[in-house]
Amino acid sequence: MTLRLGLTGDVMLGRLVDEQQLHRSVTAVWGDLLERLRSLDGLCINLECCLSTRGRQWRRTRRPFHFRAAPEWAIPALEAAGVDCCALANNHVLDYEEPALRDTLDELDGAGIAHAGAGATESAALTPASVAVGDCSVAVVALTDNTPEYAATATTPGTAYVEIDVEDAGTRRTVETALGQALARDPDLVIASLHWGPNMETEPPEAFRRFAHWLVDEGVEVVHGHSAHVFQGVEVYDGCPILYDTGDFVDDYAVDPSLRNDRSFLFEVTLTPSGTPVELRLSPTEIADFAVHAAGDEAASWSRDRMCELSAPFGTTFDREGEALVCRLGG
C-alpha cells in the first residue's frame, strides 16, 4: 500500500485571514479541501506567520508587513487539516519579536505538530523535525535565505539562515550540520524545506538548481521550495522531486493579474511503504474569500498549462489524470 504525503506553499493565517477566522468556523480557511487534506497520510506546510496574540511589531529594520494569527483558532485549524509539520524558516516568524516566536513554538509543541527552521538558538533552529507518515519515518530540515536579521545565533532566537551558495564554506557547514542530524536518525525519507529567493519570480536561478542538486546528492529525497508567492517548475533529479516553489496556499495578498499568485497546487508525493518517492500529483488550487479551494475550470487549466511550461526546461513531463497533473518519479 502506498502513502500520500502532502506539501503546500505559504500558509499565511494572519491579518485579514485572522479577522475572518475569528467570526467563522475554524475549518473555513481550508474551503472545500478539508477532507482532501485530512485524507493524506502526512502534510507539511510553510507557516508564513507567528501564532500569538503577544509581542510588538519588529521595528529594528524596515518591515512593511507583519503577520500574526490567534492560536485560539489557528491551532485547531491546523489540527483539523491534519498538519503534521510546519516549516518556520521564513521571513515572518519573528514579525512580533521573540515573545510571539516563543508562543508559536509552544503552541505547536502543545498540539503535537512538528516544526523545524526556527528556535531559541541557532542549534534549535537547525534541529530537524521528525514526522511519521504511515509507518515511514520522515525527517524535515527547514532553511531560509530571507531576512538575515531574523537569523538565530548561538544565544538569540530566530531562523535557520543560510546563503544559497554551494561554494560557500559556511553554508556547507550549516547545511551539513542539519542534514547530519537528520540522517543520524536513519529516517525513511528526508525533506529539505527551503524558503528561498525573492517574491514574484517565476524561475529559479542557476544557483538554486546547483544547491538543490547538492542537497539530493547529500541525501535529501524531496526538496520543498517556497517564498516567491508564485509556483515555479518541477525538476526530477536522480528520481527525487525538486519543487522549486510551491507558491501560496492561503493568504490575503493582493493578486497580480498576470502572475496569479492566488493559484497553485496541493503537491502530493506518493511513497512506497519503505518511503521511496514514486509519483508526484499536482491538484490545482486557488485562494478566494481568505480560504483555499479546489481551482475552478479556468484557473485549473491556466495552472496546469503554466506548470507544464515552467517544468519543460527541466525535462519534466506530466500526464493528466482528472483535474490533476501526475509525474512518475521512477522510484
Side-chain angles (χ1 to χ4, degrees):
M1 177 183 296
T2 57
L3 301 166
R4 294 161 54 227
L5 170 65
L7 301 163
T8 79
D10 294 357
V11 173
M12 199 292 286
L13 304 178
R15 226 167 41 176
L16 296 179
V17 179
D18 185 53
E19 290 182 17
Q20 291 291 317
Q21 283 296 117
L22 292 174
H23 305 288
R24 63 185 185 183
S25 164
V26 296
T27 60
V29 71
W30 309 121
D32 59 3
L33 288 182
L34 179 63
E35 292 308 313
R36 179 65 175 270
L37 297 173
R38 291 173 60 88
S39 72
L40 297 167
D41 297 293
L43 178 58
C44 298
I45 68 170
N46 174 56
L47 183 63
E48 186 83 341
C49 63
C50 49
L51 305 180
S52 180
T53 56
R54 300 195 306 142
R56 61 182 181 182
Q57 291 185 354
W58 177 282
R59 298 296 187 195
R60 286 180 259 171
T61 54
R62 183 180 180 275
R63 299 286 298 156
F65 305 114
H66 301 85
F67 300 151
R68 177 178 64 176
E72 66 186 75
W73 73 264
I75 288 294
L78 295 174
E79 291 176 315
V83 173
D84 294 288
C85 184
C86 294
L88 301 180
N90 58 56
N91 56 317
H92 289 288
V93 76
L94 260 177
D95 279 358
Y96 283 82
E97 299 267 5
E98 179 181 336
L101 170 57
R102 292 190 181 276
D103 285 350
T104 303
L105 301 173
D106 290 344
E107 293 286 350
L108 292 173
D109 287 341
I113 299 173
H115 52 83
T121 63
E122 181 184 29
S123 177
L126 290 172
T127 300
S130 293
V131 178
V133 178
D135 291 331
C136 288
S137 59
V138 178
V140 181
V141 171
L143 305 164
T144 185
D145 71 341
N146 284 198
T147 318
E149 59 266 41
Y150 280 13
T153 71
T155 58
T156 61
T159 60
Y161 176 86
V162 295
E163 296 285 347
I164 304 299
D165 181 359
V166 296
E167 303 302 324
D168 183 86
T171 291
R172 294 178 73 95
R173 282 195 302 271
T174 299
V175 177
E176 287 168 355
T177 295
L179 288 181
Q181 292 182 68
L183 293 169
R185 300 175 185 181
D186 193 26
D188 297 307
L189 182 76
V190 178
I191 299 173
S193 193
L194 308 174
H195 201 69
W196 54 356
N199 296 345
M200 311 309 278
E201 294 290 335
T202 60
E203 299 176 3
E206 185 60 32
F208 284 24
R209 291 195 67 190
R210 291 195 297 270
F211 193 81
H213 291 184
W214 175 66
L215 288 176
V216 173
D217 292 340
E218 291 294 309
V220 170
E221 291 147 294
V222 177
V223 176
H224 172 215
H226 32 84
S227 177
H229 298 309
V230 292
F231 63 80
Q232 297 177 356
V234 169
E235 182 175 12
V236 180
Y237 175 72
D238 198 21
C240 299
I242 300 173
L243 316 178
Y244 281 107
D245 206 291
T246 46
D248 289 346
F249 198 63
V250 178
D251 59 47
D252 69 349
Y253 306 153
V255 177
D256 185 292
S258 298
L259 297 178
R260 299 310 307 241
N261 49 298
D262 58 334
R263 298 174 177 176
S264 187
F265 300 89
L266 172 62
F267 296 78
E268 296 180 38
V269 180
T270 301
L271 307 173
T272 67
S274 61
T276 302
V278 293
E279 182 181 276
L280 176 66
R281 180 176 297 267
L282 280 58
S283 299
T285 62
E286 61 182 330
I287 300 167
D289 300 322
F290 313 110
V292 62
H293 306 271
D297 291 344
E298 188 274 331
S301 178
W302 183 93
S303 294
R304 285 192 297 266
D305 290 346
R306 183 70 172 143
M307 178 56 80
C308 290
E309 176 187 357
L310 292 171
S311 300
F314 305 129
T316 306
T317 59
F318 297 93
D319 295 322
R320 172 84 179 271
E321 290 189 9
E323 293 299 303
L325 294 175
V326 177
C327 175
R328 318 296 175 184
L329 302 175

